[in-house]
Structure formats: structure tokens, C-alpha cells
Amino acid sequence: MRKRFLGLSVAFTLLLPVSQALAKPPEGGWVFDSSPDYPDFTRVIIKETGGKLTGVITSRWYGDLPMQDLRAEGDTLVFKINNGNPRVTPTDIAIKAEGMLIRMTGKLWYQSFNLTAHKGSKRELKALDFPTYPLPPHRIVPQKALAPTPPMGWNSWNRFNTDIDDKTVREIADALVSSGLKDAGYVYVNIDDGWQGKRDTNGVLQPNAKFPDMKALADYVHSRGLKIGIYSSQGPKTCGGYEGSYGHVEQDARTFADWGIDYLKYDLCSGEAFYHTRETVYATYQQMGEALAATGRDIVFSLCQYGRFDVGSWGRDVGGHLWRTTGDIEDNYARMAWIGFDANGKPNHTGPNGWNDPDMLEVGNGGMTTDEYKTHMSLWALMAAPLLLGNDVRSMTPETVAILSNRDVIAIDQDIAGVQGLPVKKDATHEIWTKKLSDGATAVGLFNRSDRPITLSGEWAQIGLGGASEVRDLWTHTNTRSDKAYSYTLPAHGVVMLKVR
Ligand code: GLA
């Protein structure tokens, strides 16, 4: 008892001088002299009420973040902040008085900082108030039938990151046509993060200088017989730090519709600090779903929140047509295989007009072997995944063209029944997947997950098939028959994909 009392009183007396220095008005509010672009801190407010210290840090990404676990250690205030990202473990941040200033050191996510702040006047602090906006009450948004089969097209992110511009998008549209990929089904040309500029005085979001005229670009893409997509976030900032739709949801939906946009990828990004419950995340997607519907334009709605809160169970209810099931893909076998083999969305969530989205393709970007890219393509097709090219379609090797335009494999992906295939056999070295097709046949994927060749042999009956009067190899495009048994040799990380009748 006594010990505990002593401990508390020591902490309390240590706390007083710090709180006196940092918390008493007008010293309670501090304005940062500068901040890194992420997390773009603007001010700190520390308050002491009845001997209890509380504090809030404001960030242009995350709004007001309460100081958690706030305590005094000697002459330093120590606390944590939580940006709502479940992958980030908050670490200690320290604030110390330094003459007339305070100094804050620490780290948030990947960003370390060492910043000074000066005493803020009332006016200065008020100007940094971060606005909050009400969310709509729970409703179901009628889903438009815009994606009867998984959407196919191209997206700028995997290859170009934010280094994307009007000229490149036009050239990509041209290349989709001239390479035959458009005829193979890839029709959406989607601009990901990095197109945004600032809002004008009426709040209308403008593209940045790399996109001089979005409407003209949309017209151009449409003139090539293609459709155009764009990207935004319900947060104040997109993942790349560009302007999000926070506080401008309806206005942005109207802007996109006015430009002639056909597809919106809506990415939670900095919104994860504001919206970190299933209800609030739902409400933000509902809000954009309703805003898109109100424009009257047909716009495919792609939900990107990394598979949180069982999104597949409610993605359709916000008018969504596809929803990411994981964090980002990378152009390497380990990450692709983890997403494709080990982190699938629930099969009962996928089907016509609403698809589990294991992220975009990396085929052609150079980080995997040809066999690994065939595995990637085969797996995505068996899963009925959206097929969004992530490479530079202006310059492709013949192998890349052959993989991406393999119509036998694309037909498995686009099968109108919209069934997500499943593994029927899984062990350390291999997996066998099947997918029921609308014509009564079955697509089969034999996958080698090991880094040396293996032979897979067995009887069709062991993988749930009665027999095989006709077996088409979808990568060699040859037909065989084999009544009872199969045997295939697979290269390292390779695949044999079949359509079996
Ligand atoms: C997130 C998404 C990616 C991409 C980037 C853009 O990481 O998951 O697909 O859109 O943002 O910044």
C-alpha cells in the first residue's frame, strides 16, 4: 500500500513542473515550426485539469490524435499516438521544454522526427483546428450491375507509382489497343495515386500539372474504345500524400462524373485514423457509394481498405463491385504467393458484380520468372480475381504478351458463373486447385510451390473429378484425354493449368 502511494506521489511531483511549463495557458498550445510532409504535424495542445494531464497532436493526415499513455519522466513528457493502422505499433514520443520552445522527438510509422514548436497565439491555434464531418446513418446502397465478370484493365500504380502523367496514360491506352490486350478484355485504364492537385476556391479538386485536362484525357481514352478510372481516399490525404476527398465526398463524385470517369478506386489511407471501426469505415464507403449513385453516371466502385472488417461481407451493401482482401502486392514470388495461396478472400463473398480483389497484376514488371508470372496469372484466374495489368504495356516481351493475352486462361477468370476456385489439396511443396465452370467443366491448377521441379501424379477421382474425357492444357493449348490418372512435371514455382471435362 505504502509503496504504491509513494510511487504515485513521486510521479505526481515530477509531473507538476513539466505540466506547469507545457500545459498552462497560453503555453498549452504550441505550433510546429516545420514538420516532415508525413505526418505533417501542425500543433500540440497540452492541458492540465485537476492535476491530470491530457494532450492532442494535430496532423494534416490524421486530424487530432490524442496522446496515449501520457506521463512525465523527469523533465520530459512521454506519450504514444495511434494512427489507426493495425500494422503500426506506437512507440514513445518525447516532448521537452527548450528555452521559449518545446522540442518533440520520436517516430510515427516509418517517419522519425525532431521538431520544435513555439507558443501559439489563440488565433494561430484556432486556424489549425482540424475539421470533422458527420457520417451518414447506416443505409444500403443499391448495387449497379456494372461488373458481371471480374473487371479487366490496367492501373498505373504497380509500375509507375506516382510518376504518372497525361501523356503516359494516352500512350498506355494506345498500346492496349495495338497490342491486342483491349480485344482480350482489358478495357479499364485506371489512374491511381498521384494525379491530384489542389482544390480551387470553390473546393473543386483540380488535377496537378501533369494532368492538364482530365476531361480531355477521358475523352481520348473513350475514343479508343476504352474506359477510364481514377483514385481517391475518404481521408484528408491519399496514401501518397495527395489531396483526399475528406469533407468533399459528394463534390468529388460530381467532379469525377463530369470528367467522364467510369471507375473509382477509393482507398482508406489516412482515413484509417478517423475511421477505425467497421461502422465508420462502412459509413465512409456508403457515403461515396451514394455520392456516385447521385451523379447518375455508371461508375464501378472499387473498395481499397486492405480487407479489414470482413469487407467482403458488406462490400456490395455500399454499392461496391470489388474490394481488396490484403495489403499491397509486390513484384516478387513470396508476396504474390502469400496473397494468392494463403490470404484469399472468402469464396462465398465473390460472384457477379462483387469480387474479392487480391490486388493488381505484376506480370511483366521483371521481379519474377516467366513460370512465376504464369502461376500468378493462373491463380488470379482460378480465384475469379479482377485482372488489372500493372506493367508498362507500351514495352512488353513476347512472353509477357503471351501470358497476359492467354484467352484460355482469361476465359477461366471471366467465367460467368463467377465461382472462386479453391485448393483441394495443399502441402508444403504443392497445391491443386479446382474451379467449377458454367459449362459443366472444371478448371484445374496444379501448382509447384517449391524451388525445384516436381512431378504430380494421381487419379482424377482423388481431386473430386469423375474422370477426364477431355483435358485441355491452357498454357500449351493442347488437348489430350486420360480416363483415370494424371501425371505432370512442374518447374520450380510453376503451374500446369487445365480445363477438364
Ligand atoms: C495503397 C493501395 C495501393 C495504391 C497506393 C497509392 O497502398 O493499396 O494499391 O493505390 O495506396 O498510394
Side-chain angles (χ1 to χ4, degrees):
M1 248 340 240
R2 199 176 148 68
K3 254 199 187 147
R4 205 149 123 228
F5 177 74
L6 264 181
L8 273 177
S9 68
V10 169
F12 192 66
T13 46
L14 282 179
L15 209 133
L16 266 179
V18 192
S19 60
Q20 264 158 18
L22 303 182
K24 287 266 166 67
E27 290 86 350
W30 303 81
V31 175
F32 285 105
D33 300 310
S34 68
S35 168
D37 287 346
Y38 175 85
D40 208 347
F41 292 125
T42 57
R43 67 174 190 192
V44 178
I45 292 177
I46 303 163
K47 281 191 191 145
E48 193 208 333
T49 9
K52 193 177 156 28
L53 220 47
T54 55
V56 169
I57 298 203
T58 307
S59 145
R60 289 207 170 90
W61 286 65
Y62 299 129
D64 289 344
L65 295 167
M67 295 179 178
Q68 298 177 344
D69 197 12
L70 176 58
R71 62 206 187 268
E73 288 180 3
D75 61 352
T76 308
L77 277 186
V78 183
F79 58 91
K80 294 183 168 63
I81 52 181
N82 184 344
N83 70 346
N85 185 326
R87 286 166 297 171
V88 177
T89 311
T91 50
D92 281 349
I93 297 174
I95 290 186
K96 238 179 147 157
E98 198 176 283
M100 298 296 284
L101 304 174
I102 60 170
R103 182 173 293 279
M104 181 170 95
T105 51
K107 195 173 174 190
L108 183 62
W109 201 351
Y110 54 84
Q111 182 68 59
S112 301
F113 43 80
N114 181 349
L115 314 170
T116 56
H118 60 269
K119 285 176 197 170
S121 68
K122 260 210 164 120
R123 235 173 116 199
E124 221 179 336
L125 291 165
K126 179 90 193 120
L128 295 172
D129 276 352
F130 206 87
T132 55
Y133 303 99
L135 290 171
H138 185 279
R139 281 186 291 264
I140 306 248
V141 187
Q143 200 197 28
K144 285 188 179 176
L146 300 177
T149 60
M152 289 177 69
W154 174 90
N155 173 293
S156 54
W157 183 253
N158 285 356
R159 170 65 180 76
F160 295 94
N161 210 277
T162 55
D163 193 14
I164 186 70
D165 54 34
D166 175 283
K167 178 166 175 283
T168 308
V169 174
R170 285 172 193 249
E171 288 174 4
I172 294 285
D174 293 344
L176 285 171
V177 175
S178 61
S179 63
L181 286 169
K182 177 196 151 208
D183 289 341
Y186 299 94
V187 293
Y188 287 98
V189 178
N190 293 349
I191 306 165
D192 206 276
D193 209 356
W195 64 266
Q196 310 88 329
K198 299 278 166 233
R199 294 185 184 279
D200 69 13
T201 47
N202 297 318
V204 179
L205 185 55
Q206 305 296 313
N208 60 40
K210 295 190 293 172
F211 290 89
D213 186 340
M214 266 308 176
K215 188 159 174 27
L217 178 57
D219 288 347
Y220 183 80
V221 171
H222 289 148
S223 77
R224 310 299 335 251
L226 298 161
K227 295 178 182 230
I228 187 163
I230 211 159
Y231 168 97
S232 193
S233 169
Q234 55 269 69
K237 300 272 188 185
T238 66
C239 301
Y242 291 82
E243 181 79 20
S245 292
Y246 187 72
H248 295 270
V249 177
E250 289 76 14
Q251 190 175 30
D252 286 359
R254 284 194 298 273
T255 302
F256 301 153
D258 287 348
W259 286 340
I261 296 296
D262 307 298
Y263 184 118
L264 173 68
K265 174 173 167 185
Y266 203 46
D267 194 348
L268 184 58
C269 295
S270 73
E272 67 190 355
F274 301 82
Y275 315 121
H276 40 74
T277 61
R278 179 179 166 128
E279 289 67 33
T280 51
V281 172
Y282 179 101
T284 63
Y285 281 103
Q286 173 199 319
Q287 188 180 18
M288 182 50 98
E290 289 179 332
L292 293 175
T295 68
R297 190 173 170 85
D298 286 344
I299 300 178
V300 170
F301 190 25
S302 159
L303 280 43
C304 181
Q305 46 82 291
Y306 337 114
R308 293 179 194 166
F309 308 116
D310 200 23
V311 58
S313 66
W314 52 263
R316 290 167 190 271
D317 295 346
V318 295
H321 299 102
L322 59 159
W323 39 84
R324 283 273 295 279
T325 49
T326 65
D328 293 9
I329 196 168
E330 291 160 20
D331 187 20
N332 62 70
Y333 179 77
R335 181 71 181 173
M336 181 281 290
W338 175 75
I339 291 179
F341 290 119
D342 303 325
N344 308 132
K346 294 183 188 145
N348 61 321
H349 293 159
T350 230
N353 295 308
W355 306 97
N356 287 326
D357 174 11
D359 208 358
M360 304 168 292
L361 298 171
E362 290 282 7
V363 178
N365 280 334
M368 292 184 238
T369 66
T370 298
D371 285 323
E372 290 169 345
Y373 281 141
K374 283 185 183 170
T375 292
H376 184 8
M377 185 77 186
S378 306
L379 202 43
W380 263 234
L382 282 162
M383 283 191 283
L387 295 179
L388 292 163
L389 309 169
N391 61 317
D392 186 348
V393 295
R394 297 170 304 179
S395 54
M396 294 185 282
T397 62
E399 288 81 17
T400 298
V401 178
I403 293 172
L404 294 176
S405 52
N406 183 331
R407 288 177 192 241
D408 278 339
V409 173
I410 291 172
I412 304 301
D413 180 78
Q414 294 288 301
D415 187 79
I416 50 163
V419 171
Q420 178 169 313
L422 280 175
V424 288
K425 214 162 167 269
K426 218 171 167 57
D427 75 13
T429 59
H430 71 275
E431 303 206 5
I432 301 179
W433 284 52
T434 61
K435 169 179 175 171
K436 282 269 168 246
L437 301 171
S438 52
D439 64 1
T442 303
V444 178
L446 305 162
F447 295 97
N448 177 4
R449 291 192 68 172
S450 79
D451 52 14
R452 53 191 65 166
I454 57 170
T455 298
L456 292 182
S457 312
E459 296 199 350
W460 296 116
Q462 293 167 327
I463 57 167
L465 299 176
S469 60
E470 189 190 307
V471 179
R472 180 164 176 79
D473 183 318
L474 306 185
W475 285 109
T476 62
H477 309 290
T478 49
N479 295 337
T480 51
R481 61 173 292 148
S482 87
D483 289 334
K484 276 191 91 158
Y486 64 86
S487 180
Y488 293 95
T489 298
L490 313 177
H493 294 168
V495 59
V496 166
M497 191 161 166
L498 310 168
K499 181 169 173 178
V500 179
R501 256 177 224 289

